Amino acid sequence: MSSVETEKRLQSIYNIPLGTLCGVGAGALWGLVFLAPELVRDFTPLELAIGRFLAYGIIAFVVIIPRWPILTSSLDKQDWRALFWLSLFGNTLYYALLSKAIQSGGIALTSLVIGFLPVAVTIIGSRDKEAIPLITLFPSLLLCCAGAVCIGWQALRAPEATHQTSMGLLWSVAALLSWTTYAVGNSRSLARLSTVSIHDWNLLVGLVTGVQAICLIPVALLLGHLKHDLTSWGRFVEVSTAVAIIASFFGNVLWNQMSRLLPLTMTGQMILFETLFALIYGFLWEHRWPRPIEVAAFTFIVCSVMTCVSVHRKHHRVLNNAATASHKNGV
């Protein structure tokens, strides 16, 4: 790649301030997802996943149908396979696991484990071309881990911690692995698909997820689920629709925009905002102030993201200066 091409690539793809803002917005909207299982505890994680993504799929179908012929003409088999797996790991499977974790271990513990996502994604992203060396991100990752440990210590040492809490930890780890797979795959798919807009990609993921939700309805029936009174169903529909619109639709739009504006090593750091907002919403739900160790965790998380942002801005400023100097020298 020539110096001119490198300069144009960095200027057109990486926009650290705007990408960070999109990450904050996505985290604020996605954090609301952690409240949904508490609002409708009578429903199983499978039912919650079906309700949320069936509503998401319907919304996506209505919006995307006018452009369907033109949009699908630019997709090949590889793209459809990517949509299937991204929808599964990032939506259907992840949300079922997350709901089970929250109902078993609570919001704080689940947020703790999901808070380790930046570490996993950053380690994977550090192997990408032009990525910042992992050693440079060590302070940010260390702060991230410190924040997660603070939250975990408080959650596991609480008087109410039981065997159910341990099961919640296991479900949370499973959800973490599922969403890590999605975060890496989605970022790389967006980088590869220059002909598909972020908005259309979000709608396609929603459509495929909606189809997966429909396929899960017979499974729920065979397991003896879907037996609730009319009042419970009304509340369930309200919560599912709200989560689909706020988190799945608008939250995913912001996340996909961020994925194209930030390098993969920084993309993982942005999920910390979901952890931060999820904990804040959890405190509001429990009608209490955060404990000192939780305040410390907040501080570590914010410092981790800010440190990562600073390192990336310096790194890409150096690359820009180097590319400009090479161009002037005729290299």
Side-chain angles (χ1 to χ4, degrees):
M1 181 181 293
S2 68
S3 59
V4 176
E5 290 174 337
T6 301
E7 183 179 1
K8 288 181 178 179
R9 181 176 184 272
L10 293 173
Q11 290 175 346
S12 62
I13 295 181
Y14 296 150
N15 187 327
I16 305 299
L18 181 58
T20 302
L21 187 60
C22 289
V24 173
L29 297 182
W30 280 353
L32 293 170
V33 169
F34 286 73
L35 283 178
E38 294 289 350
L39 293 172
V40 283
R41 289 192 64 87
D42 293 338
F43 289 81
T44 66
L46 180 61
E47 291 170 331
L48 290 171
I50 292 173
R52 173 185 175 183
F53 296 121
L54 185 59
Y56 182 25
I58 293 173
I59 295 170
F61 175 78
V62 172
V63 177
I64 206 173
I65 196 63
R67 302 193 310 283
W68 180 255
I70 299 176
L71 184 58
T72 52
S73 64
S74 61
L75 299 174
D76 55 26
K77 291 182 179 180
Q78 181 184 0
D79 299 329
W80 285 110
R81 283 196 297 269
L83 283 167
F84 173 82
W85 291 113
L86 290 175
S87 299
L88 179 65
F89 287 108
N91 289 333
T92 308
L93 178 61
Y94 168 71
Y95 191 57
L97 294 171
L98 182 74
S99 299
K100 185 67 176 178
I102 292 171
Q103 292 181 347
S104 300
I107 294 177
L109 177 60
T110 306
S111 301
L112 147 75
V113 179
I114 301 302
F116 278 106
L117 177 65
V119 180
V121 175
T122 300
I123 291 174
I124 295 173
S126 65
R127 301 178 63 183
D128 284 358
K129 186 179 180 180
E130 298 180 0
I132 292 179
L134 189 61
I135 188 65
T136 309
L137 294 170
F138 181 75
S140 178
L141 295 177
L142 187 62
L143 288 167
C144 170
C145 291
V149 168
C150 285
I151 300 171
W153 179 265
Q154 186 277 323
L156 295 177
R157 297 286 294 180
E160 64 272 14
T162 62
H163 172 70
Q164 191 77 351
T165 304
S166 300
M167 293 304 300
L169 179 62
L170 294 177
W171 289 115
S172 299
V173 171
L176 169 67
L177 295 175
S178 180
W179 218 90
T180 299
T181 303
Y182 163 77
V184 175
N186 188 59
S187 181
R188 290 175 174 167
S189 294
L190 287 171
R192 176 174 54 85
L193 289 168
S194 58
T195 58
V196 179
S197 70
I198 293 172
H199 179 62
D200 286 337
W201 185 252
N202 181 40
L203 293 175
L204 286 167
V205 170
L207 191 62
V208 175
T209 306
V211 173
Q212 292 178 356
I214 293 174
C215 294
L216 287 175
I217 293 177
V219 177
L221 289 171
L222 289 174
L223 293 175
H225 299 330
L226 308 179
K227 297 179 180 180
H228 305 279
D229 57 51
L230 190 60
T231 303
S232 297
W233 275 117
R235 185 176 181 84
F236 176 74
V237 170
E238 291 176 354
V239 172
S240 297
T241 303
V243 171
I245 295 173
I246 296 173
S248 296
F249 189 76
F250 291 109
N252 286 7
V253 167
L254 289 172
W255 181 264
N256 287 335
Q257 180 66 38
M258 179 217 65
S259 295
R260 277 185 169 169
L261 294 172
L262 301 179
L264 182 56
T265 49
M266 192 174 177
T267 296
Q269 298 290 329
M270 294 299 102
I271 200 63
L272 284 173
F273 285 111
E274 180 186 16
T275 302
L276 183 62
F277 282 103
L279 287 167
I280 292 174
Y281 299 150
F283 296 145
L284 293 174
W285 174 256
E286 296 173 4
H287 302 289
R288 68 177 178 88
W289 289 97
R291 300 180 179 93
I293 195 168
E294 292 167 337
V295 173
F298 284 176
T299 304
F300 282 129
I301 289 173
V302 172
C303 289
S304 173
V305 174
M306 292 301 101
T307 302
C308 183
V309 170
S310 176
V311 170
H312 276 83
R313 294 190 70 173
K314 290 178 181 178
H315 177 72
H316 293 299
R317 189 181 300 119
V318 170
L319 290 179
N320 267 321
N321 292 338
T324 302
S326 297
H327 176 59
K328 288 180 177 179
N329 293 332
V331 178

